[in-house]
Amino acid sequence: FAARRRQSEARGRLRGLGFAYHIKGTGGSPEENVDIRFEKDGTVSLITGTQHIGQGHETTFPQILSTRLGLPNHIIRLRQGDTDLIPAGGGHGSSRATYMGGTAMWRASDEIVAKGTALAADLVMVGQ
């Protein structure tokens, strides 16, 4: 570098070093919404306002729900960015979309498990 600097100076030019940093927050706004619907045909509709732009949501989002609810991945149908199905969403938000959408799915799954547990307990009590 020192030799190139001297050569540049001999031609009346300056040579230096530059540094740049990029900081990207992956949490916080926007918020994301999901709707999980158990359909009559045995499938599960996973509806989210997030629209993928190449991040692989069509793979990761159903995998998150499959893992959380113990469902086979192939019965989950991801539907994204359709305001007829879900009124608001966080958009795509780059890598933040997986974090925000995945968190919304995780929390929705907690509610589904809690409601299902209560329903199952009621059925057990009725059967006794």
Side-chain angles (χ1 to χ4, degrees), residues 31-76:
E31 293 183 5
E32 186 51 76
N33 298 301
V34 297
D35 190 1
I36 300 168
R37 299 179 187 172
F38 294 84
E39 307 292 357
K40 291 180 182 180
D41 66 359
T43 62
V44 177
S45 292
L46 171 54
I47 304 162
T48 178
T50 294
Q51 179 64 47
H52 74 89
I53 56 167
Q55 304 96 315
H57 295 165
E58 59 279 0
T59 302
T60 56
F61 282 0
Q63 284 177 339
I64 291 168
L65 190 61
S66 173
T67 299
R68 289 291 291 148
L69 297 181
L71 300 171
N73 198 47
H74 72 274
I75 69 167
I76 300 169

Side-chain angles (χ1 to χ4, degrees), residues 7 15-17 19 25 29 43 54 86 89 93 98 111 117-118 125 128:
Q7 291 169 355
R15 182 179 294 266
L17 295 175
F19 294 93
S29 296
T43 62
I86 194 164
T98 303
E111 291 184 33
T117 301
M125 295 304 289
Q128 290 184 359

Side-chain angles (χ1 to χ4, degrees), residues 103-117:
T103 300
M105 283 174 246
W106 192 274
R107 290 180 178 164
S109 296
D110 285 344
E111 291 184 33
I112 290 168
V113 169
K115 288 179 182 180
T117 301

Side-chain angles (χ1 to χ4, degrees), residues 76-128:
I76 300 169
R77 296 199 177 127
L78 177 62
R79 304 187 68 191
Q80 303 178 81
D82 185 340
T83 56
D84 286 338
L85 298 173
I86 194 164
H92 62 81
S94 192
S95 61
R96 175 178 55 201
T98 303
Y99 169 78
M100 299 301 289
T103 300
M105 283 174 246
W106 192 274
R107 290 180 178 164
S109 296
D110 285 344
E111 291 184 33
I112 290 168
V113 169
K115 288 179 182 180
T117 301
L119 288 171
D122 287 344
L123 290 173
V124 169
M125 295 304 289
V126 169
Q128 290 184 359

